[in-house]
PDB file of all heavy atoms in Angstrom:
ATOM      1  N   ILE A 102     -53.305  23.524  63.568  1.00 97.00           N
ATOM      2  CA  ILE A 102     -52.029  22.941  63.649  1.00 97.00           C
ATOM      3  C   ILE A 102     -51.685  22.534  65.052  1.00 97.00           C
ATOM      4  O   ILE A 102     -51.957  23.308  66.035  1.00 97.00           O
ATOM      5  CB  ILE A 102     -51.034  23.835  62.973  1.00 97.00           C
ATOM      6  CG1 ILE A 102     -49.710  23.237  62.981  1.00 97.00           C
ATOM      7  CG2 ILE A 102     -50.786  25.194  63.903  1.00 97.00           C
ATOM      8  CD1 ILE A 102     -48.664  24.075  61.942  1.00 97.00           C
ATOM      9  N   THR A 103     -51.124  21.305  65.245  1.00 96.00           N
ATOM     10  CA  THR A 103     -50.809  20.789  66.549  1.00 96.00           C
ATOM     11  C   THR A 103     -49.514  20.005  66.444  1.00 96.00           C
ATOM     12  O   THR A 103     -49.027  19.653  65.399  1.00 96.00           O
ATOM     13  CB  THR A 103     -51.913  19.758  67.092  1.00 96.00           C
ATOM     14  OG1 THR A 103     -52.056  18.826  66.121  1.00 96.00           O
ATOM     15  CG2 THR A 103     -53.187  20.506  67.322  1.00 96.00           C
ATOM     16  N   GLY A 104     -48.906  19.838  67.577  1.00 95.00           N
ATOM     17  CA  GLY A 104     -47.628  19.068  67.670  1.00 95.00           C
ATOM     18  C   GLY A 104     -46.366  20.022  67.724  1.00 95.00           C
ATOM     19  O   GLY A 104     -46.465  21.126  67.731  1.00 95.00           O
ATOM     20  N   GLU A 105     -45.233  19.285  67.819  1.00 93.00           N
ATOM     21  CA  GLU A 105     -43.892  20.038  67.779  1.00 93.00           C
ATOM     22  C   GLU A 105     -43.412  20.066  66.346  1.00 93.00           C
ATOM     23  O   GLU A 105     -43.644  19.252  65.516  1.00 93.00           O
ATOM     24  CB  GLU A 105     -42.964  19.210  68.727  1.00 93.00           C
ATOM     25  CG  GLU A 105     -43.384  19.073  70.088  1.00 93.00           C
ATOM     26  CD  GLU A 105     -43.467  20.454  70.758  1.00 93.00           C
ATOM     27  OE1 GLU A 105     -42.587  21.196  70.499  1.00 93.00           O
ATOM     28  OE2 GLU A 105     -44.410  20.692  71.499  1.00 93.00           O
ATOM     29  N   PRO A 106     -42.547  21.128  66.172  1.00 91.00           N
ATOM     30  CA  PRO A 106     -41.924  21.197  64.824  1.00 91.00           C
ATOM     31  C   PRO A 106     -41.286  20.009  64.303  1.00 91.00           C
ATOM     32  O   PRO A 106     -40.508  19.329  65.176  1.00 91.00           O
ATOM     33  CB  PRO A 106     -41.020  22.441  64.952  1.00 91.00           C
ATOM     34  CG  PRO A 106     -41.559  23.229  66.046  1.00 91.00           C
ATOM     35  CD  PRO A 106     -42.239  22.257  66.886  1.00 91.00           C
ATOM     36  N   GLY A 107     -41.515  19.634  63.167  1.00 92.00           N
ATOM     37  CA  GLY A 107     -40.956  18.292  62.556  1.00 92.00           C
ATOM     38  C   GLY A 107     -41.974  17.124  62.620  1.00 92.00           C
ATOM     39  O   GLY A 107     -41.880  16.165  61.851  1.00 92.00           O
ATOM     40  N   ALA A 108     -42.966  17.234  63.575  1.00 95.00           N
ATOM     41  CA  ALA A 108     -43.915  16.219  63.778  1.00 95.00           C
ATOM     42  C   ALA A 108     -45.273  16.955  63.886  1.00 95.00           C
ATOM     43  O   ALA A 108     -46.183  16.284  64.638  1.00 95.00           O
ATOM     44  CB  ALA A 108     -43.596  15.340  64.907  1.00 95.00           C
ATOM     45  N   ARG A 109     -45.492  18.014  63.336  1.00 97.00           N
ATOM     46  CA  ARG A 109     -46.796  18.685  63.438  1.00 97.00           C
ATOM     47  C   ARG A 109     -47.886  18.147  62.504  1.00 97.00           C
ATOM     48  O   ARG A 109     -47.546  17.461  61.503  1.00 97.00           O
ATOM     49  CB  ARG A 109     -46.542  20.135  63.210  1.00 97.00           C
ATOM     50  CG  ARG A 109     -45.741  20.878  64.134  1.00 97.00           C
ATOM     51  CD  ARG A 109     -45.499  22.303  63.777  1.00 97.00           C
ATOM     52  NE  ARG A 109     -44.735  22.428  62.528  1.00 97.00           N
ATOM     53  CZ  ARG A 109     -44.239  23.593  62.174  1.00 97.00           C
ATOM     54  NH1 ARG A 109     -44.567  24.612  62.780  1.00 97.00           N
ATOM     55  NH2 ARG A 109     -43.467  23.509  61.085  1.00 97.00           N
ATOM     56  N   THR A 110     -49.089  18.259  62.910  1.00 98.00           N
ATOM     57  CA  THR A 110     -50.257  17.850  61.984  1.00 98.00           C
ATOM     58  C   THR A 110     -51.088  19.148  61.661  1.00 98.00           C
ATOM     59  O   THR A 110     -51.139  20.060  62.471  1.00 98.00           O
ATOM     60  CB  THR A 110     -51.150  16.867  62.625  1.00 98.00           C
ATOM     61  OG1 THR A 110     -51.766  17.423  63.798  1.00 98.00           O
ATOM     62  CG2 THR A 110     -50.491  15.550  62.981  1.00 98.00           C
ATOM     63  N   LEU A 111     -51.620  19.246  60.477  1.00 98.00           N
ATOM     64  CA  LEU A 111     -52.433  20.309  59.988  1.00 98.00           C
ATOM     65  C   LEU A 111     -53.741  19.601  59.650  1.00 98.00           C
ATOM     66  O   LEU A 111     -53.859  19.036  58.482  1.00 98.00           O
ATOM     67  CB  LEU A 111     -51.627  20.875  58.874  1.00 98.00           C
ATOM     68  CG  LEU A 111     -52.303  22.206  58.205  1.00 98.00           C
ATOM     69  CD1 LEU A 111     -52.197  23.337  59.118  1.00 98.00           C
ATOM     70  CD2 LEU A 111     -51.560  22.476  56.819  1.00 98.00           C
ATOM     71  N   GLU A 112     -54.731  19.958  60.334  1.00 98.00           N
ATOM     72  CA  GLU A 112     -56.097  19.303  60.255  1.00 98.00           C
ATOM     73  C   GLU A 112     -57.090  20.411  59.690  1.00 98.00           C
ATOM     74  O   GLU A 112     -57.261  21.475  60.337  1.00 98.00           O
ATOM     75  CB  GLU A 112     -56.571  18.748  61.495  1.00 98.00           C
ATOM     76  CG  GLU A 112     -57.963  18.106  61.366  1.00 98.00           C
ATOM     77  CD  GLU A 112     -58.507  17.589  62.625  1.00 98.00           C
ATOM     78  OE1 GLU A 112     -57.948  17.928  63.720  1.00 98.00           O
ATOM     79  OE2 GLU A 112     -59.583  16.957  62.545  1.00 98.00           O
ATOM     80  N   ASN A 113     -57.653  20.097  58.463  1.00 97.00           N
ATOM     81  CA  ASN A 113     -58.655  21.079  58.004  1.00 97.00           C
ATOM     82  C   ASN A 113     -60.040  20.841  58.731  1.00 97.00           C
ATOM     83  O   ASN A 113     -60.547  19.713  58.770  1.00 97.00           O
ATOM     84  CB  ASN A 113     -59.020  20.592  56.537  1.00 97.00           C
ATOM     85  CG  ASN A 113     -59.839  21.658  55.767  1.00 97.00           C
ATOM     86  OD1 ASN A 113     -60.370  21.277  54.686  1.00 97.00           O
ATOM     87  ND2 ASN A 113     -59.992  22.818  56.257  1.00 97.00           N
TER      88      ASN A 113
END
Side-chain angles (χ1 to χ4, degrees):
I102 190 165
T103 55
E105 297 297 318
R109 295 176 291 188
T110 61
L111 185 68
E112 181 185 6
N113 186 201

